[in-house]
Amino acid sequence: VRPRLHLFDVPRELAIEFKSKLLTGDGLGKKVLAKQTVRKGLGILAAIVEHALFKKRPPHHMAPIENPFHKLWSHQELRKLHARKPRVGLSVEQLNVLYASPLYADGPDPHDPLQEVMYWMFPLGTFVGARTEELAQLEVDDVRYLAGSWWIRFDESSPARRGSEHVQAKGLQ
């Protein structure tokens, strides 16, 4: 058992070990996750950490802090991951299973911020077309109700968000 670490104190070696445990199931009840699932989850985590490093850096950290979750996959590993069959949409049956889950049937626990994030990630990604990494960087001010429509601002001006393909606001009806 490791002591709890502040987000800014996580060493890269621990992030690499975490990735390995997710892929092998070692220490996680032997549940092995698919490589794409691990890549996506670590990508979301990297985006959240990058955003926190940019926005919320505590004053006691004066030296630049590296994101330990940034680029955990080699180019060779990424090529293998992306050399797969084309994506297939979810069936009505799969969507029914998803939306019948306790998270959607009962709603997120108001005291659990992670449930709030997971509750909105899937529908926003589906209907807005944004990637989960982009959604993970949104702030409250990025969502606005203007002229009878909800708008999400994907702002590339922040260094934590640079490189995003979805830079213009998208209207939601």
Side-chain angles (χ1 to χ4, degrees):
V1 175
R2 295 184 187 271
R4 289 185 179 226
L5 292 174
H6 187 278
L7 177 65
F8 299 138
D9 296 327
V10 174
R12 181 149 180 90
E13 297 78 27
L14 189 58
I16 292 168
E17 181 183 332
F18 182 57
K19 171 189 162 191
S20 174
K21 287 185 177 199
L22 290 173
L23 292 169
T24 63
D26 184 31
L28 300 171
K30 298 296 179 195
K31 182 177 181 181
V32 178
L33 301 175
K35 286 182 182 179
Q36 278 293 46
T37 302
V38 173
R39 188 205 58 79
K40 183 170 285 247
L42 290 175
I44 292 168
L45 187 56
I48 290 170
V49 170
E50 191 66 34
H51 191 66
L53 287 171
F54 176 73
K55 295 290 254 182
K56 316 268 189 245
R57 184 182 315 256
H60 69 278
H61 281 89
M62 301 307 288
I65 302 170
E66 296 294 322
N67 184 343
F69 298 97
H70 184 65
K71 294 189 177 180
L72 281 179
W73 299 86
S74 69
H75 290 294
Q76 184 177 4
E77 287 176 310
L78 288 173
R79 274 196 296 274
K80 286 181 183 177
L81 280 175
H82 294 299
R84 58 185 180 90
K85 299 176 188 172
R87 292 179 183 232
V88 178
L90 295 175
S91 68
V92 171
E93 181 180 312
Q94 290 169 319
L95 287 170
N96 286 336
V97 168
L98 174 71
Y99 286 113
S101 70
L103 178 63
Y104 289 102
D106 303 334
D109 179 344
H111 304 292
D112 186 346
L114 183 58
Q115 280 193 18
E116 287 281 339
V117 169
M118 297 313 296
Y119 181 84
W120 288 106
M121 236 4 133
F122 182 77
L124 283 174
T126 301
F127 296 109
V128 175
R131 292 178 292 212
T132 51
E133 292 87 350
E134 294 166 327
L135 293 169
Q137 297 176 39
L138 290 175
E139 295 181 7
V140 173
D141 290 345
D142 293 327
V143 180
R144 299 206 173 143
Y145 189 75
L146 300 169
S149 294
W150 284 99
W151 290 85
I152 297 175
R153 179 184 58 184
F154 293 90
D155 181 9
E156 193 175 89
S157 64
S158 144
R161 296 178 179 174
R162 223 163 262 141
S164 169
E165 293 175 10
H166 298 275
V167 294
Q168 64 265 23
K170 295 186 177 192
L172 301 175
Q173 295 296 332

